[in-house]
Amino acid sequence: MMYSNQTTPRIPFLQLLTYERPEAAAWITGNASYPRLSGLVKFYRTSAGGILVEAEIFGLPNIEQEGSSNFYAMHIHEFGDCSGNFDHTGSHYNPSADIHPNHAGDLLPLMGNQGYAWSAFYDKRFTIEEIIGKSVIIHSNRDDFTTQPSGDSGTKIGCGEIRKLL
């Protein structure tokens, strides 16, 4: 779909985020080392043929460092089992067997500002139906977008199973 300067998907995206209920969501909880970590990642189907992803995360590791900011990797993993230390979530969701960072599950990183992050972005690499039952993982480090197979993004500190809402 092509857009001119006057007609872009920005306004419909803002309306989705403001007025519509997401079709799927993952409630994020922290592991034993990060019990204050929590948040919600929402998934909206768009008229532009892709998914709008909105993430709001609280309690990231830099919460105690006044004025601090840091990046944290966020990925969709194969399985929605967030038990224990999130060891049963599998690898990045990667139905096309691409190399990292081209997995369908490679999402934009979060920028935590004194423990809080908010992000919204558009993605056409997966559908709502494909990600139901998988997990959103928050990692302790940024994704370097190079190291195979997962970007040297550190330990899994947050997890939430993606569930259909509508």
PDB file of all heavy atoms in Angstrom, residues 3-32:
ATOM      1  N   TYR A   3       1.523   5.416   0.245  1.00  0.00           N
ATOM      2  CA  TYR A   3       0.939   6.559   0.926  1.00  0.00           C
ATOM      3  C   TYR A   3       1.609   7.838   0.454  1.00  0.00           C
ATOM      4  O   TYR A   3       2.812   7.898   0.294  1.00  0.00           O
ATOM      5  CB  TYR A   3       1.119   6.439   2.448  1.00  0.00           C
ATOM      6  CG  TYR A   3       0.396   5.258   3.017  1.00  0.00           C
ATOM      7  CD1 TYR A   3       1.045   4.058   3.232  1.00  0.00           C
ATOM      8  CD2 TYR A   3      -0.958   5.349   3.321  1.00  0.00           C
ATOM      9  CE1 TYR A   3       0.373   2.977   3.748  1.00  0.00           C
ATOM     10  CE2 TYR A   3      -1.642   4.269   3.841  1.00  0.00           C
ATOM     11  CZ  TYR A   3      -0.972   3.081   4.049  1.00  0.00           C
ATOM     12  OH  TYR A   3      -1.641   2.014   4.558  1.00  0.00           O
ATOM     13  N   SER A   4       0.814   8.877   0.272  1.00  0.00           N
ATOM     14  CA  SER A   4       1.372  10.192  -0.032  1.00  0.00           C
ATOM     15  C   SER A   4       1.655  10.897   1.282  1.00  0.00           C
ATOM     16  O   SER A   4       1.384  10.372   2.356  1.00  0.00           O
ATOM     17  CB  SER A   4       0.374  11.001  -0.862  1.00  0.00           C
ATOM     18  OG  SER A   4      -0.726  11.354  -0.058  1.00  0.00           O
ATOM     19  N   ASN A   5       2.166  12.115   1.220  1.00  0.00           N
ATOM     20  CA  ASN A   5       2.443  12.873   2.439  1.00  0.00           C
ATOM     21  C   ASN A   5       1.180  13.156   3.248  1.00  0.00           C
ATOM     22  O   ASN A   5       1.220  13.307   4.447  1.00  0.00           O
ATOM     23  CB  ASN A   5       3.148  14.191   2.101  1.00  0.00           C
ATOM     24  CG  ASN A   5       4.582  13.972   1.712  1.00  0.00           C
ATOM     25  OD1 ASN A   5       5.153  12.927   2.016  1.00  0.00           O
ATOM     26  ND2 ASN A   5       5.166  14.945   1.048  1.00  0.00           N
ATOM     27  N   GLN A   6       0.021  13.267   2.583  1.00  0.00           N
ATOM     28  CA  GLN A   6      -1.216  13.572   3.279  1.00  0.00           C
ATOM     29  C   GLN A   6      -1.906  12.331   3.835  1.00  0.00           C
ATOM     30  O   GLN A   6      -2.656  12.413   4.776  1.00  0.00           O
ATOM     31  CB  GLN A   6      -2.202  14.297   2.340  1.00  0.00           C
ATOM     32  CG  GLN A   6      -1.995  15.799   2.297  1.00  0.00           C
ATOM     33  CD  GLN A   6      -0.749  16.196   1.535  1.00  0.00           C
ATOM     34  OE1 GLN A   6      -0.420  15.614   0.521  1.00  0.00           O
ATOM     35  NE2 GLN A   6      -0.044  17.197   2.028  1.00  0.00           N
ATOM     36  N   THR A   7      -1.689  11.195   3.232  1.00  0.00           N
ATOM     37  CA  THR A   7      -2.399   9.995   3.639  1.00  0.00           C
ATOM     38  C   THR A   7      -1.395   8.916   4.029  1.00  0.00           C
ATOM     39  O   THR A   7      -0.882   8.203   3.183  1.00  0.00           O
ATOM     40  CB  THR A   7      -3.293   9.476   2.488  1.00  0.00           C
ATOM     41  OG1 THR A   7      -4.071  10.561   1.993  1.00  0.00           O
ATOM     42  CG2 THR A   7      -4.189   8.374   2.964  1.00  0.00           C
ATOM     43  N   THR A   8      -1.134   8.817   5.318  1.00  0.00           N
ATOM     44  CA  THR A   8      -0.243   7.786   5.835  1.00  0.00           C
ATOM     45  C   THR A   8      -1.011   6.975   6.871  1.00  0.00           C
ATOM     46  O   THR A   8      -2.081   7.387   7.331  1.00  0.00           O
ATOM     47  CB  THR A   8       1.016   8.398   6.484  1.00  0.00           C
ATOM     48  OG1 THR A   8       0.636   9.018   7.711  1.00  0.00           O
ATOM     49  CG2 THR A   8       1.697   9.382   5.556  1.00  0.00           C
ATOM     50  N   PRO A   9      -0.484   5.849   7.307  1.00  0.00           N
ATOM     51  CA  PRO A   9      -1.202   5.067   8.318  1.00  0.00           C
ATOM     52  C   PRO A   9      -1.090   5.624   9.734  1.00  0.00           C
ATOM     53  O   PRO A   9      -1.678   5.078  10.661  1.00  0.00           O
ATOM     54  CB  PRO A   9      -0.545   3.685   8.220  1.00  0.00           C
ATOM     55  CG  PRO A   9       0.774   3.908   7.602  1.00  0.00           C
ATOM     56  CD  PRO A   9       0.646   5.126   6.744  1.00  0.00           C
ATOM     57  N   ARG A  10      -0.385   6.723   9.937  1.00  0.00           N
ATOM     58  CA  ARG A  10      -0.174   7.255  11.281  1.00  0.00           C
ATOM     59  C   ARG A  10      -1.489   7.531  12.013  1.00  0.00           C
ATOM     60  O   ARG A  10      -1.661   7.122  13.162  1.00  0.00           O
ATOM     61  CB  ARG A  10       0.671   8.529  11.229  1.00  0.00           C
ATOM     62  CG  ARG A  10       0.972   9.125  12.603  1.00  0.00           C
ATOM     63  CD  ARG A  10       1.813  10.370  12.489  1.00  0.00           C
ATOM     64  NE  ARG A  10       1.128  11.487  11.858  1.00  0.00           N
ATOM     65  CZ  ARG A  10       0.334  12.343  12.511  1.00  0.00           C
ATOM     66  NH1 ARG A  10       0.148  12.216  13.793  1.00  0.00           N
ATOM     67  NH2 ARG A  10      -0.253  13.324  11.862  1.00  0.00           N
ATOM     68  N   ILE A  11      -2.416   8.217  11.372  1.00  0.00           N
ATOM     69  CA  ILE A  11      -3.678   8.559  12.034  1.00  0.00           C
ATOM     70  C   ILE A  11      -4.479   7.298  12.379  1.00  0.00           C
ATOM     71  O   ILE A  11      -4.922   7.149  13.527  1.00  0.00           O
ATOM     72  CB  ILE A  11      -4.512   9.556  11.201  1.00  0.00           C
ATOM     73  CG1 ILE A  11      -3.751  10.871  11.026  1.00  0.00           C
ATOM     74  CG2 ILE A  11      -5.890   9.778  11.817  1.00  0.00           C
ATOM     75  CD1 ILE A  11      -3.423  11.594  12.326  1.00  0.00           C
ATOM     76  N   PRO A  12      -4.665   6.351  11.440  1.00  0.00           N
ATOM     77  CA  PRO A  12      -5.362   5.113  11.835  1.00  0.00           C
ATOM     78  C   PRO A  12      -4.624   4.351  12.949  1.00  0.00           C
ATOM     79  O   PRO A  12      -5.263   3.761  13.814  1.00  0.00           O
ATOM     80  CB  PRO A  12      -5.408   4.297  10.546  1.00  0.00           C
ATOM     81  CG  PRO A  12      -5.291   5.294   9.449  1.00  0.00           C
ATOM     82  CD  PRO A  12      -4.450   6.408   9.992  1.00  0.00           C
ATOM     83  N   PHE A  13      -3.295   4.378  12.954  1.00  0.00           N
ATOM     84  CA  PHE A  13      -2.538   3.711  14.016  1.00  0.00           C
ATOM     85  C   PHE A  13      -2.817   4.375  15.362  1.00  0.00           C
ATOM     86  O   PHE A  13      -3.037   3.702  16.361  1.00  0.00           O
ATOM     87  CB  PHE A  13      -1.040   3.733  13.724  1.00  0.00           C
ATOM     88  CG  PHE A  13      -0.589   2.824  12.621  1.00  0.00           C
ATOM     89  CD1 PHE A  13       0.740   2.810  12.238  1.00  0.00           C
ATOM     90  CD2 PHE A  13      -1.457   1.978  11.954  1.00  0.00           C
ATOM     91  CE1 PHE A  13       1.186   1.974  11.223  1.00  0.00           C
ATOM     92  CE2 PHE A  13      -1.040   1.143  10.934  1.00  0.00           C
ATOM     93  CZ  PHE A  13       0.298   1.141  10.574  1.00  0.00           C
ATOM     94  N   LEU A  14      -2.820   5.702  15.399  1.00  0.00           N
ATOM     95  CA  LEU A  14      -3.121   6.417  16.641  1.00  0.00           C
ATOM     96  C   LEU A  14      -4.538   6.112  17.120  1.00  0.00           C
ATOM     97  O   LEU A  14      -4.784   5.961  18.321  1.00  0.00           O
ATOM     98  CB  LEU A  14      -2.940   7.920  16.449  1.00  0.00           C
ATOM     99  CG  LEU A  14      -1.502   8.410  16.274  1.00  0.00           C
ATOM    100  CD1 LEU A  14      -1.487   9.883  15.908  1.00  0.00           C
ATOM    101  CD2 LEU A  14      -0.694   8.164  17.532  1.00  0.00           C
ATOM    102  N   GLN A  15      -5.477   6.016  16.172  1.00  0.00           N
ATOM    103  CA  GLN A  15      -6.851   5.693  16.541  1.00  0.00           C
ATOM    104  C   GLN A  15      -6.953   4.279  17.110  1.00  0.00           C
ATOM    105  O   GLN A  15      -7.682   4.054  18.082  1.00  0.00           O
ATOM    106  CB  GLN A  15      -7.771   5.870  15.336  1.00  0.00           C
ATOM    107  CG  GLN A  15      -7.947   7.335  14.973  1.00  0.00           C
ATOM    108  CD  GLN A  15      -8.697   7.542  13.678  1.00  0.00           C
ATOM    109  OE1 GLN A  15      -8.736   6.676  12.806  1.00  0.00           O
ATOM    110  NE2 GLN A  15      -9.299   8.721  13.531  1.00  0.00           N
ATOM    111  N   LEU A  16      -6.215   3.335  16.516  1.00  0.00           N
ATOM    112  CA  LEU A  16      -6.193   1.969  17.060  1.00  0.00           C
ATOM    113  C   LEU A  16      -5.721   1.975  18.509  1.00  0.00           C
ATOM    114  O   LEU A  16      -6.346   1.382  19.385  1.00  0.00           O
ATOM    115  CB  LEU A  16      -5.247   1.079  16.241  1.00  0.00           C
ATOM    116  CG  LEU A  16      -5.797   0.358  15.038  1.00  0.00           C
ATOM    117  CD1 LEU A  16      -4.681  -0.375  14.302  1.00  0.00           C
ATOM    118  CD2 LEU A  16      -6.885  -0.609  15.428  1.00  0.00           C
ATOM    119  N   LEU A  17      -4.585   2.626  18.753  1.00  0.00           N
ATOM    120  CA  LEU A  17      -4.014   2.656  20.096  1.00  0.00           C
ATOM    121  C   LEU A  17      -4.920   3.368  21.096  1.00  0.00           C
ATOM    122  O   LEU A  17      -4.961   3.002  22.273  1.00  0.00           O
ATOM    123  CB  LEU A  17      -2.647   3.334  20.083  1.00  0.00           C
ATOM    124  CG  LEU A  17      -1.531   2.611  19.335  1.00  0.00           C
ATOM    125  CD1 LEU A  17      -0.280   3.467  19.311  1.00  0.00           C
ATOM    126  CD2 LEU A  17      -1.253   1.256  19.935  1.00  0.00           C
ATOM    127  N   THR A  18      -5.641   4.367  20.645  1.00  0.00           N
ATOM    128  CA  THR A  18      -6.452   5.183  21.539  1.00  0.00           C
ATOM    129  C   THR A  18      -7.839   4.597  21.795  1.00  0.00           C
ATOM    130  O   THR A  18      -8.317   4.614  22.931  1.00  0.00           O
ATOM    131  CB  THR A  18      -6.602   6.604  20.964  1.00  0.00           C
ATOM    132  OG1 THR A  18      -5.296   7.148  20.746  1.00  0.00           O
ATOM    133  CG2 THR A  18      -7.371   7.511  21.907  1.00  0.00           C
ATOM    134  N   TYR A  19      -8.481   4.064  20.759  1.00  0.00           N
ATOM    135  CA  TYR A  19      -9.892   3.720  20.870  1.00  0.00           C
ATOM    136  C   TYR A  19     -10.226   2.237  20.745  1.00  0.00           C
ATOM    137  O   TYR A  19     -11.328   1.830  21.098  1.00  0.00           O
ATOM    138  CB  TYR A  19     -10.707   4.475  19.814  1.00  0.00           C
ATOM    139  CG  TYR A  19     -10.570   5.966  19.931  1.00  0.00           C
ATOM    140  CD1 TYR A  19      -9.906   6.705  18.961  1.00  0.00           C
ATOM    141  CD2 TYR A  19     -11.090   6.641  21.036  1.00  0.00           C
ATOM    142  CE1 TYR A  19      -9.771   8.078  19.068  1.00  0.00           C
ATOM    143  CE2 TYR A  19     -10.963   8.009  21.164  1.00  0.00           C
ATOM    144  CZ  TYR A  19     -10.295   8.725  20.177  1.00  0.00           C
ATOM    145  OH  TYR A  19     -10.162  10.087  20.300  1.00  0.00           O
ATOM    146  N   GLU A  20      -9.334   1.444  20.228  1.00  0.00           N
ATOM    147  CA  GLU A  20      -9.658   0.041  19.953  1.00  0.00           C
ATOM    148  C   GLU A  20      -9.022  -0.897  20.970  1.00  0.00           C
ATOM    149  O   GLU A  20      -7.994  -0.594  21.560  1.00  0.00           O
ATOM    150  CB  GLU A  20      -9.194  -0.339  18.542  1.00  0.00           C
ATOM    151  CG  GLU A  20      -9.819   0.485  17.437  1.00  0.00           C
ATOM    152  CD  GLU A  20     -11.327   0.381  17.363  1.00  0.00           C
ATOM    153  OE1 GLU A  20     -11.880  -0.703  17.641  1.00  0.00           O
ATOM    154  OE2 GLU A  20     -11.968   1.396  17.038  1.00  0.00           O
ATOM    155  N   ARG A  21      -9.642  -2.036  21.105  1.00  0.00           N
ATOM    156  CA  ARG A  21      -9.111  -3.092  21.967  1.00  0.00           C
ATOM    157  C   ARG A  21      -8.154  -3.950  21.130  1.00  0.00           C
ATOM    158  O   ARG A  21      -8.468  -4.287  19.985  1.00  0.00           O
ATOM    159  CB  ARG A  21     -10.270  -3.936  22.471  1.00  0.00           C
ATOM    160  CG  ARG A  21      -9.861  -5.010  23.404  1.00  0.00           C
ATOM    161  CD  ARG A  21     -11.058  -5.758  23.913  1.00  0.00           C
ATOM    162  NE  ARG A  21     -10.554  -6.899  24.658  1.00  0.00           N
ATOM    163  CZ  ARG A  21     -11.252  -7.546  25.545  1.00  0.00           C
ATOM    164  NH1 ARG A  21     -12.479  -7.202  25.788  1.00  0.00           N
ATOM    165  NH2 ARG A  21     -10.725  -8.568  26.181  1.00  0.00           N
ATOM    166  N   PRO A  22      -6.990  -4.319  21.681  1.00  0.00           N
ATOM    167  CA  PRO A  22      -6.080  -5.181  20.915  1.00  0.00           C
ATOM    168  C   PRO A  22      -6.677  -6.568  20.711  1.00  0.00           C
ATOM    169  O   PRO A  22      -7.551  -6.995  21.478  1.00  0.00           O
ATOM    170  CB  PRO A  22      -4.834  -5.251  21.804  1.00  0.00           C
ATOM    171  CG  PRO A  22      -5.318  -4.950  23.171  1.00  0.00           C
ATOM    172  CD  PRO A  22      -6.490  -4.023  23.012  1.00  0.00           C
ATOM    173  N   GLU A  23      -6.219  -7.255  19.675  1.00  0.00           N
ATOM    174  CA  GLU A  23      -6.704  -8.616  19.416  1.00  0.00           C
ATOM    175  C   GLU A  23      -5.939  -9.662  20.212  1.00  0.00           C
ATOM    176  O   GLU A  23      -6.421 -10.766  20.418  1.00  0.00           O
ATOM    177  CB  GLU A  23      -6.628  -8.934  17.924  1.00  0.00           C
ATOM    178  CG  GLU A  23      -7.652  -8.162  17.138  1.00  0.00           C
ATOM    179  CD  GLU A  23      -7.803  -8.669  15.729  1.00  0.00           C
ATOM    180  OE1 GLU A  23      -7.761  -9.891  15.506  1.00  0.00           O
ATOM    181  OE2 GLU A  23      -7.971  -7.825  14.837  1.00  0.00           O
ATOM    182  N   ALA A  24      -4.724  -9.316  20.642  1.00  0.00           N
ATOM    183  CA  ALA A  24      -3.925 -10.238  21.452  1.00  0.00           C
ATOM    184  C   ALA A  24      -3.059  -9.407  22.387  1.00  0.00           C
ATOM    185  O   ALA A  24      -2.794  -8.231  22.120  1.00  0.00           O
ATOM    186  CB  ALA A  24      -3.059 -11.125  20.561  1.00  0.00           C
ATOM    187  N   ALA A  25      -2.611 -10.051  23.466  1.00  0.00           N
ATOM    188  CA  ALA A  25      -1.751  -9.354  24.416  1.00  0.00           C
ATOM    189  C   ALA A  25      -0.938 -10.363  25.206  1.00  0.00           C
ATOM    190  O   ALA A  25      -1.325 -11.532  25.330  1.00  0.00           O
ATOM    191  CB  ALA A  25      -2.580  -8.499  25.371  1.00  0.00           C
ATOM    192  N   ALA A  26       0.181  -9.890  25.734  1.00  0.00           N
ATOM    193  CA  ALA A  26       1.031 -10.690  26.619  1.00  0.00           C
ATOM    194  C   ALA A  26       1.249  -9.888  27.898  1.00  0.00           C
ATOM    195  O   ALA A  26       1.783  -8.782  27.849  1.00  0.00           O
ATOM    196  CB  ALA A  26       2.363 -10.999  25.949  1.00  0.00           C
ATOM    197  N   TRP A  27       0.801 -10.440  29.041  1.00  0.00           N
ATOM    198  CA  TRP A  27       1.067  -9.827  30.339  1.00  0.00           C
ATOM    199  C   TRP A  27       2.458 -10.252  30.751  1.00  0.00           C
ATOM    200  O   TRP A  27       2.729 -11.438  30.928  1.00  0.00           O
ATOM    201  CB  TRP A  27       0.042 -10.289  31.371  1.00  0.00           C
ATOM    202  CG  TRP A  27      -1.314  -9.721  31.145  1.00  0.00           C
ATOM    203  CD1 TRP A  27      -2.379 -10.338  30.542  1.00  0.00           C
ATOM    204  CD2 TRP A  27      -1.758  -8.422  31.493  1.00  0.00           C
ATOM    205  NE1 TRP A  27      -3.450  -9.490  30.501  1.00  0.00           N
ATOM    206  CE2 TRP A  27      -3.099  -8.305  31.085  1.00  0.00           C
ATOM    207  CE3 TRP A  27      -1.154  -7.327  32.124  1.00  0.00           C
ATOM    208  CZ2 TRP A  27      -3.847  -7.146  31.276  1.00  0.00           C
ATOM    209  CZ3 TRP A  27      -1.907  -6.176  32.323  1.00  0.00           C
ATOM    210  CH2 TRP A  27      -3.232  -6.099  31.900  1.00  0.00           C
ATOM    211  N   ILE A  28       3.358  -9.310  30.916  1.00  0.00           N
ATOM    212  CA  ILE A  28       4.756  -9.595  31.222  1.00  0.00           C
ATOM    213  C   ILE A  28       4.956  -9.611  32.734  1.00  0.00           C
ATOM    214  O   ILE A  28       4.512  -8.692  33.432  1.00  0.00           O
ATOM    215  CB  ILE A  28       5.680  -8.530  30.593  1.00  0.00           C
ATOM    216  CG1 ILE A  28       5.430  -8.398  29.089  1.00  0.00           C
ATOM    217  CG2 ILE A  28       7.145  -8.822  30.901  1.00  0.00           C
ATOM    218  CD1 ILE A  28       5.730  -9.627  28.273  1.00  0.00           C
ATOM    219  N   THR A  29       5.635 -10.629  33.221  1.00  0.00           N
ATOM    220  CA  THR A  29       6.056 -10.688  34.618  1.00  0.00           C
ATOM    221  C   THR A  29       7.547 -10.964  34.650  1.00  0.00           C
ATOM    222  O   THR A  29       8.100 -11.588  33.738  1.00  0.00           O
ATOM    223  CB  THR A  29       5.309 -11.780  35.412  1.00  0.00           C
ATOM    224  OG1 THR A  29       5.542 -13.041  34.780  1.00  0.00           O
ATOM    225  CG2 THR A  29       3.820 -11.505  35.473  1.00  0.00           C
ATOM    226  N   GLY A  30       8.188 -10.511  35.718  1.00  0.00           N
ATOM    227  CA  GLY A  30       9.613 -10.719  35.874  1.00  0.00           C
ATOM    228  C   GLY A  30       9.920 -12.072  36.501  1.00  0.00           C
ATOM    229  O   GLY A  30       9.053 -12.701  37.104  1.00  0.00           O
ATOM    230  N   ASN A  31      11.188 -12.492  36.353  1.00  0.00           N
ATOM    231  CA  ASN A  31      11.620 -13.732  36.999  1.00  0.00           C
ATOM    232  C   ASN A  31      11.950 -13.449  38.463  1.00  0.00           C
ATOM    233  O   ASN A  31      11.739 -12.335  38.955  1.00  0.00           O
ATOM    234  CB  ASN A  31      12.791 -14.364  36.235  1.00  0.00           C
ATOM    235  CG  ASN A  31      14.038 -13.502  36.229  1.00  0.00           C
ATOM    236  OD1 ASN A  31      14.176 -12.550  37.003  1.00  0.00           O
ATOM    237  ND2 ASN A  31      14.969 -13.825  35.348  1.00  0.00           N
ATOM    238  N   ALA A  32      12.489 -14.438  39.180  1.00  0.00           N
ATOM    239  CA  ALA A  32      12.782 -14.293  40.611  1.00  0.00           C
ATOM    240  C   ALA A  32      13.771 -13.166  40.885  1.00  0.00           C
ATOM    241  O   ALA A  32      13.694 -12.506  41.924  1.00  0.00           O
ATOM    242  CB  ALA A  32      13.314 -15.612  41.175  1.00  0.00           C
TER     243      ALA A  32
END
